Amino acid sequence: MKVLMFGWEFPPHISGGLGTACYGLTKGLAQLKDVEVTFVVPKAWGDEDRSNINLLGADQIPVVHQQIQFDNARSKVEYYELQSGLIPYLGTSEFDELKSEISSGEKQLIELTPEGKFVFSGDYGQNLFQEIANYTLIAGKLAREIDFDVIHVHDWMCFQAGMAVKRVSGKPLVVHVHSTEFDRSGSSVNPAICAIEKEGLDAADKIITVSNLTRSVVIEKYNIIPEKVITVYNAVEPVRSGDAKTSREYTNDKVVSFLGRITMQKGPEYFVEAASLVLQKMRNVRFVMAGKGDLLNEMKQKVSALDISSYFHFPGFVGESEIAELFQASDVFVMPSVSEPFGIVTLEAMQAGVPVVISKQSGVSEVVQNAIKVDYWDIQAMADAIYTLLINQEYGIRLGEKGKKEADKLIWKNVASEVNRTYLKLLEVKPKHN
């Protein structure tokens, strides 16, 4: 089984769960027999984790490729890297903000080298859809040069590339939906992005969604027949004990953490309001809102207006090692998302043994049992859950231990096996035992 896969980011340069999911799925597929994945990413930055892979970068056509081998993997994964500046999880307000910062008076031209190779600008904002168009042309060229059996694309930025490859090759197309425009922007959707999503979903031979919540959005909002859409939940990488440092960098008090893009979809204002209610009952607690996004300054202003700034910490975007330290310092983790297709960060917190409070409006709530689940808008219930976990240490420890055992069973190799069965059904090939 040879898979040509298109994704838009790779750790540590991630803006959401997309890069984490792509890495986990790819590594899981590499552990299966007779599966080879060619994974195309827009740009390699040079500081990705290379302990298990040899990463080859290419910012032009013709692309140069090399195979990479994961530890304990029987099959190889090839990476083709094409320089680009797009942000995969860019919401409508963030897109407009970036666009306003760029002068609209200059003509935008497609730049080519003397050899006729594309030069990607790496800019955000105005060049967004031109970058997608260039990337799609490159995908069509790759389709003529690479041997593969099935096409697999992740989210809207890669849908047109997948459709181009399908037109060239006639091979089946799998569209993997990690988030939709309705999740990212609510009622203020970007019609151009919705149109791309609709076109890609219609062209797909099979659609994989990361939760039943997302499956319902795909079926209802994009008018897709239910039989075409399946749910395959996300997972986490197994964590070795002792990998994370134990740290109380933020405070010696209790710590309640939020980790994610600080934007409408993630419900940061509900976290702040719940924190204010908790602080009415206890003061030996600190709240950490880690991440960046278009609502960051607004959240800082909200915290100030509530006169709780001395109890809040905004560290900005945090890297992988800092995330591990944040979870080790946390007594409670909260994910108050308004519309969360899955929420891998919840599983990561559970793996670290942190008791979690999550919104019922999240995909991960469909698969985990050892979590406190509340409606995102019910700040009183959210505050009560946080307060209970903070004052009842025994209950918090017990919930954290049960959550860790549960999360440790949700691994990417199992997800990869399910995805591979989808490939085989499309190709009408009987699966081999792994």
Side-chain angles (χ1 to χ4, degrees):
M1 175 67 65
K2 295 183 178 180
V3 184
L4 178 56
M5 188 177 291
F6 293 85
W8 212 260
E9 59 179 43
F10 198 82
H13 298 279
I14 60 176
S15 45
L18 178 61
T20 303
C22 288
Y23 175 74
L25 176 60
T26 306
K27 190 170 182 178
L29 287 168
Q31 296 178 58
L32 305 180
K33 289 181 180 178
D34 304 321
V35 177
E36 296 181 5
V37 179
T38 300
F39 191 94
V40 185
V41 292
K43 181 177 181 179
W45 298 85
D47 58 350
E48 297 85 354
D49 178 10
R50 295 171 181 253
S51 60
N52 294 320
I53 63 175
N54 295 316
L55 195 63
L56 175 65
D59 59 1
Q60 56 187 349
I61 294 297
V63 294
V64 179
H65 71 279
Q66 112 179 23
Q67 291 181 322
I68 60 175
Q69 181 78 41
F70 285 116
D71 283 353
N72 303 318
R74 300 183 180 89
S75 58
K76 298 182 178 64
V77 179
E78 297 178 350
Y79 280 73
Y80 291 75
E81 284 142 13
L82 314 170
Q83 183 178 359
S84 178
L86 303 190
I87 302 177
Y89 282 85
L90 199 67
T92 301
S93 59
E94 292 168 294
F95 176 66
D96 290 341
E97 181 181 348
L98 283 171
K99 186 167 65 173
S100 68
E101 296 174 357
I102 301 174
S103 170
S104 59
E106 299 180 0
K107 293 182 179 180
Q108 300 295 325
L109 301 176
I110 299 174
E111 186 179 0
L112 297 174
T113 67
E115 295 80 17
K117 301 174 182 179
F118 278 115
V119 176
F120 286 83
S121 66
D123 290 335
Y124 303 143
Q126 267 188 319
N127 286 337
L128 180 64
F129 291 100
Q130 183 61 61
E131 294 275 5
I132 290 177
N134 294 351
Y135 187 71
T136 299
L137 291 173
I138 291 169
K141 181 172 177 60
L142 287 176
R144 296 178 175 90
E145 299 176 348
I146 300 172
D147 181 30
F148 59 94
D149 301 303
V150 66
I151 313 152
H152 189 146
V153 300
H154 296 273
D155 273 7
W156 73 274
M157 307 79 58
C158 304
F159 282 7
Q160 291 185 339
M163 289 185 286
V165 175
K166 182 178 179 179
R167 286 193 294 269
V168 170
S169 66
K171 300 295 175 65
L173 171 63
V174 175
V175 162
H176 206 140
V177 182
H178 301 262
S179 179
T180 72
E181 179 64 3
F182 290 93
D183 297 305
R184 294 183 294 270
S185 301
S187 59
S188 303
V189 297
N190 185 321
I193 295 176
C194 284
I196 292 174
E197 290 182 330
K198 170 62 174 171
E199 188 179 11
L201 294 168
D202 284 340
D205 294 282
K206 203 69 177 181
I207 299 166
I208 297 175
T209 59
V210 296
S211 64
N212 287 329
L213 177 69
T214 306
R215 181 175 184 270
S216 296
V217 172
V218 166
I219 293 169
E220 295 169 10
K221 297 291 187 181
Y222 297 89
N223 195 28
I224 304 298
I225 59 171
E227 294 76 16
K228 191 176 178 179
V229 192
I230 63 171
T231 294
V232 180
Y233 293 108
N234 285 330
V236 283
E237 279 289 288
V239 174
R240 299 188 303 269
S241 60
D243 277 359
K245 301 176 182 177
T246 56
S247 170
R248 302 292 296 195
E249 174 187 353
Y250 302 102
T251 177
N252 289 323
D253 291 337
K254 300 289 186 179
V255 174
V256 180
S257 59
F258 168 107
L259 173 63
R261 288 179 296 114
I262 305 177
T263 190
M264 180 278 298
Q265 180 188 359
K266 303 297 182 179
E269 65 270 33
Y270 300 103
F271 179 76
V272 172
E273 290 172 7
S276 179
L277 293 178
V278 172
L279 286 166
Q280 292 177 15
K281 294 183 177 181
M282 60 186 298
R283 291 285 173 168
N284 60 326
V285 57
R286 297 294 183 270
F287 295 87
V288 180
M289 181 173 281
K292 60 181 182 179
D294 59 311
L295 293 184
L296 176 58
N297 288 334
E298 184 177 327
M299 290 305 101
K300 290 181 178 179
Q301 292 169 6
K302 188 177 184 67
V303 165
S304 178
L306 290 169
D307 197 24
I308 55 174
S309 296
S310 60
Y311 298 94
F312 257 83
H313 181 55
F314 294 90
F317 180 82
V318 293
E320 186 176 352
S321 61
E322 296 169 304
I323 290 173
E325 292 184 11
L326 173 59
F327 286 148
Q328 288 297 321
S330 298
D331 296 282
V332 180
F333 172 77
V334 183
M335 189 186 74
S337 298
V338 173
S339 178
E340 185 67 57
F342 189 77
I344 292 177
V345 66
T346 294
L347 296 184
E348 294 173 337
M350 292 171 68
Q351 268 194 320
V354 184
V356 300
V357 179
I358 61 176
S359 74
K360 294 178 181 178
Q361 293 72 27
S362 63
V364 71
S365 69
E366 299 172 12
V367 291
V368 299
Q369 301 301 318
N370 294 289
I372 299 179
K373 306 171 187 178
V374 300
D375 291 306
Y376 73 87
W377 44 262
D378 194 341
I379 59 171
Q380 187 62 62
M382 193 182 303
D384 289 344
I386 295 169
Y387 179 70
T388 298
L389 289 169
L390 292 177
I391 64 170
N392 191 335
Q393 186 174 4
E394 183 179 343
Y395 172 54
I397 291 174
R398 185 167 64 250
L399 184 64
E401 289 175 345
K402 289 182 177 180
K404 176 171 172 53
K405 290 179 181 179
E406 185 176 16
D408 284 342
K409 295 177 182 178
L410 302 172
I411 60 174
W412 279 111
K413 184 177 180 180
N414 295 340
V415 174
S417 295
E418 193 168 353
V419 170
N420 189 43
R421 285 192 290 271
T422 300
Y423 297 156
L424 294 169
K425 287 179 181 178
L426 283 175
L427 298 172
E428 297 181 345
V429 176
K430 293 183 178 179
K432 298 180 180 180
H433 294 293
N434 289 314

